[in-house]
Amino acid sequence: IVKGVVMRFHITRTIVKHFRSSAVVEGIPHFLQGEDHRAGRGASRLATLLHTTTNAHAKHQDRPCAPPGKGVPVVYHPAYSAPQLPASHRFPMGVFKRIYELLLQRGVIHSTQVHVPRAMPTLAMLESVHCPKYIANFLQGNMKEDAMRRIGLPWSEVLVERTLAEVAGTLLTAELALLHGIACNTAGGTHHAHRDLGSGFCIINDLAVTAATLLMRKEVSRVLIFDLDVHQGDGTAAIFESDPRVFTLSVHCGDNFPARKQRSDLDIALPRGVQDEEYLRVADNALRSVLDSFRPDLVLYDAGVDTHVSDALGFLEMTDGGIYKRERQVLATCAEKGVPVAGYVGGGYSRDIDELAWRHCLLHQAATSVYNDLQVGKSGAAL
């Protein structure tokens, strides 16, 4: 697989320095700084949720060491569902909190398995895959109306906090996967965000930032971004078009958003109406082929459930059972090949938030099963 120019990384500024009341914060709007207490926001609020690192070079300060408890590591942040949208809005902002609640209520996970990100991403991380001007405009609330309309979300201070927290959670999930083989986020997969624009409810491409950051830190040499959301991962494909260290693989409905597709390293465009059996066969063959040929050190898996037959924006016809098989198939295949995998919930659209959230929870149920199998295997090997 030959690409061209390798991405440049800009290690220049940080988004966050200390987040204490006396903090000096460069490159971010005043409402994220401790000196500003407008609307009760700022560092005092963020510090309650995040214990942030101070330097882009202090790369070991925010690393997870071990799961807080037995079981597959799961990442959650209260800001994931913080923005308040009208009930009629198409984007299900409340689903991420509901995923977390259902995982605990139905015994899929225990609270001791949950990790909360302790650090915001730095500007250097964001600018490694996005244009500095675009990032500055978003952080400072200077986005043009048509740019926010393309994103599909109204700008707010809370949306900035939510966006940064999601990137932090996605990176933490990948770090945990590298340590423990499998980890899952309760959000993530903003694959429509391009270098200089957002689209389709995606503002900052968390998958791209995570891959670029881990490559920059030399924690990995090759990353596979495996995108099974029903919509092509166009932003991710465009960002890494010329980077041979990242392989973008997208299996999606061809007759669906975005209208203008980008070129992934491997695109598989499915026709409308594809059902479980055919979908599972195609996805499995594609994954195994790329794992064998590209030999990644890490898989970032976008497990969008908008492939479901009842999804409002999907056009494929997978069932709950088919999606669970898909999740287990992907995770087990990566485990079989000895490749760490980080799972992200991706897209899904329904007015019934409980139904949608539980459908996303299929990822975590499958991860729990595969993770437990791995622990049994390790125990057996030790004996």
Side-chain angles (χ1 to χ4, degrees):
I1 302 159
V2 179
K3 297 186 182 177
V5 180
V6 174
M7 292 166 53
R8 295 180 179 178
F9 296 94
H10 307 280
I11 312 300
T12 53
R13 296 171 290 170
T14 58
I15 283 184
V16 181
K17 290 188 175 181
H18 293 299
F19 271 111
R20 303 191 186 104
S21 59
S22 61
V24 177
V25 186
E26 300 175 356
I28 63 171
H30 289 296
F31 69 83
L32 289 180
Q33 299 188 35
E35 293 82 355
D36 191 338
H37 301 285
R38 289 176 297 171
R41 298 188 177 96
S44 58
R45 174 181 177 182
L46 283 175
T48 304
L49 305 176
L50 300 171
H51 302 290
T52 57
T53 57
T54 63
N55 194 304
H57 298 286
K59 63 181 184 179
H60 296 293
Q61 294 181 18
D62 189 45
R63 301 305 168 75
C65 295
K70 293 181 179 179
V72 62
V74 172
V75 175
Y76 174 70
H77 194 291
Y80 285 172
S81 289
Q84 299 296 307
L85 299 178
S88 59
H89 199 283
R90 178 168 279 181
F91 187 73
M93 188 67 77
V95 76
F96 310 106
K97 179 181 179 181
R98 196 65 187 127
I99 291 168
Y100 172 67
E101 292 172 342
L102 288 176
L103 289 172
L104 292 172
Q105 291 170 7
R106 301 192 182 183
V108 178
I109 64 170
H110 188 271
S111 60
T112 57
Q113 295 170 235
V114 178
H115 295 252
V116 178
R118 295 182 294 137
M120 287 291 197
T122 65
L123 277 177
M125 293 176 187
L126 303 183
E127 291 175 2
S128 69
V129 300
H130 289 289
C131 294
K133 185 176 180 180
Y134 170 68
I135 293 297
N137 284 340
F138 172 65
L139 294 178
Q140 296 166 13
N142 294 328
M143 299 281 283
K144 294 182 178 180
E145 286 186 16
D146 60 340
M148 291 308 299
R149 190 160 47 246
R150 179 168 184 163
I151 290 169
L153 298 169
W155 188 92
S156 68
E157 298 172 358
V158 178
L159 181 64
V160 173
E161 181 183 333
R162 189 255 174 209
T163 301
L164 296 177
E166 184 171 40
V167 175
T170 293
L171 177 58
L172 177 58
T173 305
E175 293 277 12
L176 287 163
L178 287 171
L179 284 171
H180 306 290
I182 299 175
C184 291
N185 201 355
T186 49
T190 50
H191 60 171
H192 296 310
H194 290 244
R195 283 190 180 276
D196 58 354
L197 60 88
S199 178
F201 311 126
C202 301
I203 302 166
I204 295 174
N205 195 311
D206 62 331
L207 300 172
V209 171
T210 294
T213 299
L214 295 176
L215 287 163
M216 178 184 67
R217 292 173 174 173
K218 301 189 184 304
E219 294 185 42
V220 295
S221 298
R222 292 178 302 280
V223 178
L224 166 61
I225 299 179
F226 187 36
D227 196 329
L228 292 187
D229 191 281
V230 80
H231 307 107
Q232 191 211 31
D234 57 327
T236 315
I239 287 170
F240 290 118
E241 183 180 11
S242 299
D243 193 327
R245 303 167 301 172
V246 179
F247 194 103
T248 53
L249 166 54
S250 180
V251 181
H252 52 269
C253 179
D255 186 16
N256 205 329
F257 179 89
R260 176 184 288 184
K261 304 292 192 291
Q262 300 296 316
R263 194 163 96 177
S264 307
D265 290 300
L266 177 58
D267 283 305
I268 300 177
L270 300 172
R272 293 192 181 202
V274 167
Q275 299 179 350
D276 292 346
E277 184 176 356
E278 177 66 8
Y279 186 100
L280 292 170
R281 182 187 65 80
V282 170
D284 187 49
N285 288 343
L287 176 60
R288 289 182 178 276
S289 174
V290 175
L291 288 177
D292 289 341
S293 60
F294 185 65
R295 301 181 65 83
D297 302 309
L298 173 68
V299 174
L300 303 180
Y301 172 42
D302 187 334
V305 298
D306 38 14
T307 55
H308 195 271
V309 61
S310 66
D311 191 88
L313 303 178
F315 307 142
L316 298 184
E317 297 183 5
M318 294 194 76
T319 64
D320 284 355
I323 289 176
Y324 177 79
K325 288 179 181 177
R326 181 192 73 175
E327 315 304 37
R328 205 180 191 293
Q329 177 176 280
V330 170
L331 300 175
T333 299
C334 291
E336 171 193 323
K337 300 287 187 180
V339 182
V341 55
Y344 305 98
V345 302
Y349 303 91
S350 173
R351 294 295 183 195
D352 189 330
I353 291 295
D354 277 1
E355 179 181 87
L356 177 60
W358 187 241
R359 192 169 297 144
H360 281 301
C361 289
L362 295 171
L363 170 66
H364 307 81
Q365 293 178 67
T368 297
S369 175
V370 174
Y371 183 86
N372 290 342
D373 288 348
L374 286 175
Q375 303 315 302
V376 170
K378 289 177 183 177
S379 299
L383 295 175

